[in-house]
Amino acid sequence: MSPSILNANFDDLENEISKVSAVSDFLHLDIMDNKFVPNLTFTFDKASEIIDFSKLPVDAHLMIEDPDDQAPRYAQAGCYSVTFHFEAVKDARNTIKNIRSNGSKVGVAIKPKTDLSKVADLIQDIDLLLVMTVEPGFGGQSFMHDQMIKVKSAREYINKCQEPRPLLQVDGGISESTIQIAAESGANCFVAGSAVYKSKDPAQMILTLRQLALEGSNF
Ligand code: DX5
Ligand code: ZN
């Protein structure tokens, strides 16, 4: 479980993160530059501050135009993993190498309209594949069920990889009513933003979501 703080209270992030720290695996940090997506979130300095005070390993999701140059900086800043968008990168292999040499795990993300075939030959060389289940840019959107075909194919690819196999992450619209179908389709890492932070008890929501995912997973 990787809660996203995109819809948390930005004026009290330390407290917001502490609500989920004991029960989550990662902290999902959405970086948007108002170019790759029409929204702006954290500056690099603010992100570095969050990475420093987060007790959870930070799973950075870069929705930015220039990951080739920027992604290694997030690795240097101490992220556990740095995920860039395939649609934005110029040299995926080089960026993978640069993130890794700066000490982070590497993720590659694809938007709903991007075919899995575009990233198929990278899957063996990364630690996380992120299949977006909404158009990136905003929290609180509806889960795109049509992406489950892609998640199923991604699971087949990943199962053929050598261990350790990359995580298969889904991001967007994950809630009590959608997490099970994502898990049944083969996802094993779940980002949830509004479902967690709109809930009265974010920690309990994480536990509920994890339980539903475990019940749904069959691979
Ligand atoms: C959207 C972001 C997500 C977002 C998910 O572009 O990448 O991580 O926070 O929010 P929910 O769970 O509300 O769809
Ligand atoms: Zn995200």
Side-chain angles (χ1 to χ4, degrees):
M1 290 304 308
S2 188
S4 160
I5 51 173
L6 185 61
N7 278 9
N9 176 5
F10 275 22
D11 295 328
D12 195 12
L13 279 178
E14 234 173 311
N15 178 41
E16 292 282 74
I17 294 170
S18 72
K19 290 179 187 168
V20 297
S21 291
V23 292
S24 304
D25 304 286
F26 307 107
L27 181 76
H28 186 82
L29 187 61
D30 289 300
I31 308 292
M32 305 187 187
D33 64 354
N34 205 21
K35 291 179 196 146
F36 181 70
V37 288
N39 196 2
L40 192 67
T41 55
F42 309 106
T43 61
F44 178 75
D45 289 347
K46 183 67 190 172
S48 301
E49 228 180 82
I50 296 169
I51 295 160
D52 287 345
F53 67 60
S54 171
K55 293 185 184 70
L56 288 166
V58 171
D59 153 35
H61 175 195
L62 306 184
M63 285 159 277
I64 60 173
E65 225 176 37
D66 186 15
D68 301 73
D69 285 343
Q70 297 302 314
R73 295 178 76 205
Y74 286 87
Q76 278 163 16
C79 289
Y80 174 79
S81 60
V82 178
T83 298
F84 62 84
H85 268 268
F86 180 75
E87 301 84 1
V89 80
K90 291 174 199 78
D91 186 341
R93 293 227 172 256
N94 197 41
T95 302
I96 290 169
K97 192 177 82 198
N98 288 339
I99 294 171
R100 199 160 273 141
S101 66
N102 280 288
S104 297
K105 305 266 186 203
V106 184
V108 171
I110 48 175
K111 298 205 281 186
K113 292 194 189 84
T114 304
D115 278 354
L116 183 68
S117 60
K118 304 257 188 214
V119 295
D121 62 346
L122 298 174
I123 293 177
Q124 179 66 67
D125 300 320
I126 59 179
D127 306 294
L128 182 153
L129 176 68
L130 166 52
V131 174
M132 290 301 298
T133 42
V134 296
E135 282 297 336
F138 299 93
Q141 304 180 75
S142 300
F143 180 78
M144 295 171 70
H145 285 269
D146 61 356
Q147 294 304 301
M148 293 305 98
I149 302 168
K150 202 190 281 179
V151 172
K152 284 179 189 158
S153 309
R155 170 50 56 202
E156 282 174 23
Y157 266 100
I158 288 174
N159 282 354
K160 287 185 207 132
C161 290
Q162 285 163 16
E163 308 259 7
R165 292 178 181 142
L167 287 171
L168 179 49
Q169 186 178 67
V170 281
D171 179 9
I174 297 294
S175 69
E176 284 172 286
S177 55
T178 59
I179 196 164
Q180 227 157 357
I181 179 79
E184 277 164 18
S185 303
N188 61 355
C189 181
F190 306 88
V191 177
S194 36
V196 170
Y197 280 103
K198 287 210 169 118
S199 142
K200 281 199 203 88
D201 187 344
Q204 183 53 49
M205 180 54 76
I206 301 267
L207 295 174
T208 303
L209 290 171
R210 181 186 284 113
Q211 186 56 36
L212 288 168
L214 286 170
E215 285 165 17
S217 68
N218 53 9
F219 55 91

